[in-house]
Amino acid sequence: MDIHNAFLHGELDEEVYMIPPPSYCIKGETCFIQSQTDHSLFTLITATSLTIVLVYIDDILVVGNDLSQVSYFKSVISTHFKTKNLGPLKYFLGLEVARSPLSIFLNQRKYALPMEQNLELNDTDGDLLPNPAPYRQLARRLIYLTITKFDIVFAVNILSQFMHTPQIPHMTAATRVLHYIKGTPGQGIFFSSSNDLHVSAYTKSDWVSCATTRRSTTGFFIPLGSSPIFWHTKKYTTIAHCSTEAEYRAMAVTTCELVWLQQLLHDLGISHTAPMTLYCDNQSALYIAHNHIFHERTAPNILRSTATLSVIAPFWSLHHHSSSLF
């Protein structure tokens, strides 16, 4: 659960001491007991049930072996505060929770990512760095690290867009990437000698991800069998009118790279006769790729990309995937 308006941003000139509210009771009989080892933990134990409440400022986690007691607790709290029911536990204080009948798995994947999710950097928010040289030097070194660390490619692409006037939020984001790298300094790329030589590609576009220019960012990842060999992310030079157009452009760009890679394999004496597999998670873009019929709803920019895909379509096959590169 989440409590609305936990922070009222009031200006206080005096000291304020908070006293926990009176114990909450179930139908006037059994009451919640505050833990003496963790004052944010409250438990209610009856003959048939156990209900546990963990409170962190405005976030409340309710656990119990009797769903009726949990629902009753939520209803009582909702009569005193404006609350939001977040449903079954998935995230709590940055922890990701995965549950099954046999186990519970906790991880901090979002916190450990090189860039905070939904972070929007721009040229206007934040103070300018007094000396932009360290930021520029750091960004150049991070770009070089992307040779073997494809998991930071997207974050580095964003940071490199502010080399001209870096600001404090940009440096903060760059420092987060450094912390991420320090956690896995020896992580690299593994090439197996028993790997097959089938080429596949995963493509994705982040539509209008740039808050300043409203341009989209495209990215692709190409493994040779199970070994990664090529990855790239780049912001478009033009504005896509819809997510379908952005995804279709990403497919066209990736297909061109696949054709280049096929020629490179040929130069190395490797014959790749099987179709290269291109994965995309946008159904509309897949429909257009499979059916090259132009109509009034097809944007002119998509038509140009369609012409590209039509020429090189014999070299690859299309598939749908639900994973994300960003």
Side-chain angles (χ1 to χ4, degrees):
M1 301 177 65
D2 180 72
I3 306 295
H4 290 206
N5 299 327
F7 301 98
L8 301 180
H9 306 285
E11 302 256 346
L12 299 178
D13 298 326
E14 64 278 357
E15 293 185 0
V16 177
Y17 297 90
M18 301 298 295
I19 300 176
S23 298
Y24 163 70
C25 300
I26 293 293
K27 300 178 181 179
E29 299 176 356
T30 307
C31 298
F32 274 92
I33 299 177
Q34 184 180 23
S35 171
Q36 297 304 308
T37 56
D38 186 346
H39 291 174
S40 62
L41 179 65
F42 300 84
T43 58
L44 186 146
I45 303 176
T46 67
T48 58
S49 66
L50 168 64
T51 305
I52 301 173
V53 176
L54 183 65
V55 180
Y56 183 82
I57 308 178
D58 61 335
D59 294 316
I60 300 178
L61 177 62
V62 187
V63 182
N65 58 0
D66 188 341
L67 293 181
S68 63
Q69 293 282 25
V70 173
S71 299
Y72 181 68
F73 169 81
K74 290 183 177 181
S75 64
V76 172
I77 291 295
S78 298
T79 60
H80 296 278
F81 303 96
K82 185 178 181 181
T83 63
K84 181 178 181 181
N85 189 357
L86 302 179
L89 179 63
K90 295 182 180 179
Y91 296 97
F92 188 72
L93 304 180
L95 296 177
E96 184 173 351
V97 183
R99 297 184 298 162
S100 72
L102 300 179
S103 62
I104 297 177
F105 178 71
L106 301 179
N107 70 77
Q108 293 178 275
R109 185 184 66 87
K110 286 188 174 182
Y111 185 80
L113 292 176
M115 179 165 286
E116 179 182 348
Q117 289 194 339
N118 302 321
L119 177 64
E120 294 185 359
L121 298 176
N122 52 59
D123 296 324
T124 57
D125 295 338
D127 298 329
L128 292 174
L129 291 174
N131 182 13
Y135 178 87
R136 293 167 180 168
Q137 184 180 24
L138 174 59
R140 286 193 293 266
R141 292 184 176 182
L142 290 176
I143 291 174
Y144 188 72
L145 271 178
T146 59
I147 294 177
T148 58
K149 289 186 172 293
F150 53 84
D151 50 343
I152 66 172
V153 170
F154 179 72
V156 174
N157 171 263
I158 299 298
L159 296 175
S160 62
Q161 298 176 21
F162 305 98
M163 300 275 276
H164 53 297
T165 54
Q167 299 168 357
I168 292 179
H170 307 146
M171 194 65 182
T172 302
T175 305
R176 181 187 176 104
V177 177
L178 287 182
H179 293 167
Y180 173 80
I181 295 173
K182 188 176 182 180
T184 55
Q187 182 178 353
I189 305 173
F190 176 75
F191 297 98
S192 174
S193 59
S194 59
N195 191 22
D196 62 63
L197 299 179
H198 178 70
V199 176
S200 56
Y202 299 83
T203 182
K204 179 67 178 177
S205 180
D206 193 8
W207 182 46
V208 296
S209 59
C210 180
T212 304
T213 63
R214 310 308 296 170
R215 296 176 183 174
S216 306
T217 300
T218 182
F220 61 80
F221 173 77
I222 302 178
L224 180 64
S226 60
S227 301
I229 59 173
F230 197 15
W231 49 88
H232 184 69
T233 182
K234 184 179 181 181
K235 186 166 69 173
Y236 283 127
T237 57
T238 57
I239 299 177
H241 296 85
C242 60
S243 59
T244 300
E245 180 180 341
E247 295 281 359
Y248 199 89
R249 287 186 183 181
M251 292 171 60
V253 171
T254 307
T255 305
C256 293
E257 299 298 336
L258 288 176
V259 174
W260 172 85
L261 183 58
Q262 186 182 51
Q263 181 60 45
L264 178 61
L265 293 175
H266 177 76
D267 295 340
L268 297 174
I270 301 175
S271 176
H272 193 287
T273 57
M276 297 180 176
T277 308
L278 177 60
Y279 292 92
C280 176
D281 64 351
N282 187 282
Q283 290 288 354
S284 299
L286 289 175
Y287 291 150
I288 297 176
H290 281 296
N291 184 12
H292 297 157
I293 298 178
F294 303 155
H295 50 79
E296 61 182 6
R297 292 182 179 270
T298 307
N301 291 323
I302 296 184
L303 297 182
R304 288 193 290 270
S305 299
T306 301
T308 302
L309 289 176
S310 299
V311 173
I312 54 184
F315 296 101
W316 48 265
S317 59
L318 287 171
H319 290 271
H320 174 270
H321 79 99
S322 59
S323 61
S324 176
L325 297 179
F326 305 110

